[in-house]
């Protein structure tokens, strides 16, 4: 039989089969066998302070497509050939979301309630991809504008950065210099939102923007720096009034 498959579907879940016995190098994910994998508690102990103090406060708005997850389904998160996470679904209440780079990732029921509005819409377009996603059970969810601290891993962090760590949703991620560590800004160990850390690639981080609070802070710092530079420079030759400075 012959049937049509969009390019996005091929890229999201298929690999080169020129040699069925050899895994394609672009889809290779480092094995964690024999290495120490940090828990969330260990990651928070190592990085929570630096993420809060040196990370940028950013938000991501807009909509995302999600469908019901299937029990025992294996979900691979792959962006530009790099496998970022692999999760086996353990319940039927979670969702599988479609990311900006057409990557798939698991969102638990709790995270859906925490990060998305209650109103859910049907896909209304008539494009081939719209029809495909509708047939797969995807619906349109709207993000809440919840700020997150985003910290880019520096070269100096390599000394304390683990080879891999567990995320709150049960996957194992490996981060490297240039990637981002993300933590909800409203997380509080005594509140409803528990602190957690997960990794985001640089490709995915570009879809976030500065929060209003962070933007205001950055603007004030820039303004103060300009005034300080003006004061340090002082009056120049021929500057006899403030209007010339």
């Amino acid at each position: 039989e012959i049937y049509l498959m969009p390019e996005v579907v091929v890229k999201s879940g298929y690999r080169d089969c020129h040699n069925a016995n050899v895994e394609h190098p672009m889809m290779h994910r480092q094995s964690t066998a024999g290495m120490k994998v940090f828990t969330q508690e260990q990651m928070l102990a190592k990085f929570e302070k630096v993420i809060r103090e040196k990370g940028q406060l950013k938000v991501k708005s807009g909509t995302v497509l999600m469908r019901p997850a299937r029990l025992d389904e294996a979900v691979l998160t792959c962006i530009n050939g790099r496998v970022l996470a692999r999760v086996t679904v353990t319940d039927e209440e979670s969702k599988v979301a479609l990311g900006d780079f057409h990557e798939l990732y698991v969102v638990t029921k709790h995270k859906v309630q925490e990060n998305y509005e209650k109103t859910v819409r049907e896909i209304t377009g008539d494009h081939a991809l719209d029809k495909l996603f509708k047939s797969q059970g995807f619906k349109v969810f709207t993000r809440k504008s919840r700020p997150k601290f985003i910290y880019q891993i520096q070269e100096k962090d390599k000394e304390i950065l683990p080879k891999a760590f567990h995320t709150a949703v049960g996957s194992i991620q490996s981060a490297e210099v240039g990637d981002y560590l993300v933590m909800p800004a409203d997380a509080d160990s005594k509140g409803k939102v528990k602190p957690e850390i997960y990794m985001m690639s640089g490709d995915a981080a570009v879809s976030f923007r500065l929060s209003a609070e962070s933007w205001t802070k950055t603007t004030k710092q820039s303004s103060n720096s300009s005034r300080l530079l003006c004061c340090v420079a002082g009056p120049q030759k021929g500057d006899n009034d403030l209007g010339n400075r």
Side-chain angles (χ1 to χ4, degrees):
E1 62 174 322
I2 297 176
Y3 58 91
L4 173 68
M5 181 179 291
E7 182 182 16
V8 60
V9 179
V10 177
K11 288 184 176 180
S12 66
Y14 286 79
R15 61 181 174 85
D16 190 354
C17 289
H18 65 281
N19 186 338
N21 297 318
V22 179
E23 184 175 18
H24 193 282
M26 292 298 287
M27 294 299 291
H28 174 68
R29 183 166 186 263
Q30 183 181 16
S31 172
T32 57
M35 71 169 62
K36 182 178 180 180
V37 181
F38 271 31
T39 63
Q40 273 291 293
E41 289 74 17
Q42 290 174 311
M43 285 296 292
L44 288 165
K46 291 285 187 181
F47 288 101
E48 181 175 9
K49 184 177 180 180
V50 68
I51 292 174
R52 287 187 180 277
E53 292 180 353
K54 298 183 179 181
Q56 288 186 307
L57 200 57
K58 293 192 173 186
V59 295
K60 185 175 183 179
S61 55
T63 60
V64 64
L65 298 181
M66 288 194 280
R67 64 164 173 80
R70 297 184 292 272
L71 184 64
D72 295 328
E73 169 183 15
V75 179
L76 189 72
T77 303
C78 180
I79 297 180
N80 291 333
R82 181 185 176 194
V83 177
L84 302 180
R86 189 191 306 268
V87 177
T88 299
V89 179
T90 58
D91 64 82
E92 295 182 329
E93 296 183 319
S94 295
K95 302 289 185 184
V96 174
L98 186 69
D100 296 329
F101 293 85
H102 302 294
E103 77 280 11
L104 299 176
Y105 57 94
V106 177
V107 185
T108 64
K109 178 182 178 181
H110 175 69
K111 290 299 179 183
V112 171
Q113 296 172 340
E114 192 176 272
N115 294 307
Y116 296 88
E117 303 291 350
K118 292 182 179 180
T119 303
V120 180
R121 296 183 286 110
E122 298 287 341
I123 298 174
T124 57
D126 290 324
H127 188 275
L129 279 179
D130 295 325
K131 294 179 179 180
L132 172 66
F133 294 144
K134 280 192 285 188
S135 71
Q136 294 175 337
F138 282 97
K139 294 186 179 182
V140 182
F141 289 72
T142 302
R143 294 186 179 92
K144 296 178 182 178
S145 294
R146 296 184 60 233
K148 293 178 171 59
F149 284 109
I150 299 181
Y151 171 74
Q152 188 170 32
I153 300 172
Q154 307 296 311
E155 189 70 30
K156 61 183 179 181
D157 297 320
K158 290 177 66 175
E159 298 180 0
I160 59 174
L161 187 68
K163 295 292 185 182
F165 65 93
H166 291 278
T167 68
V169 297
S171 67
I172 296 178
Q173 289 188 313
S174 297
E176 56 190 42
V177 174
D179 289 334
Y180 290 80
L181 294 179
V182 184
M183 186 174 67
D186 54 357
D188 183 354
S189 59
K190 297 181 180 180
K192 294 182 179 180
V193 182
K194 293 183 178 180
E196 65 168 307
I197 293 175
Y198 61 91
M199 185 275 288
M200 180 188 300
S201 68
D203 295 314
V206 298
S207 59
F208 280 75
R209 57 180 174 82
L210 286 174
S211 67
E213 179 183 342
S214 187
W215 175 261
T216 301
K217 182 179 179 181
T218 301
T219 304
K220 286 183 178 179
Q221 289 176 339
S222 177
S223 178
N224 290 337
S225 297
S226 298
R227 287 197 295 269
L228 179 61
L229 180 60
C230 177
C231 294
V232 171
Q236 302 299 313
K237 185 176 180 180
D239 291 342
N240 296 318
D241 58 72
L242 290 175
N244 291 328
R245 278 192 252 165

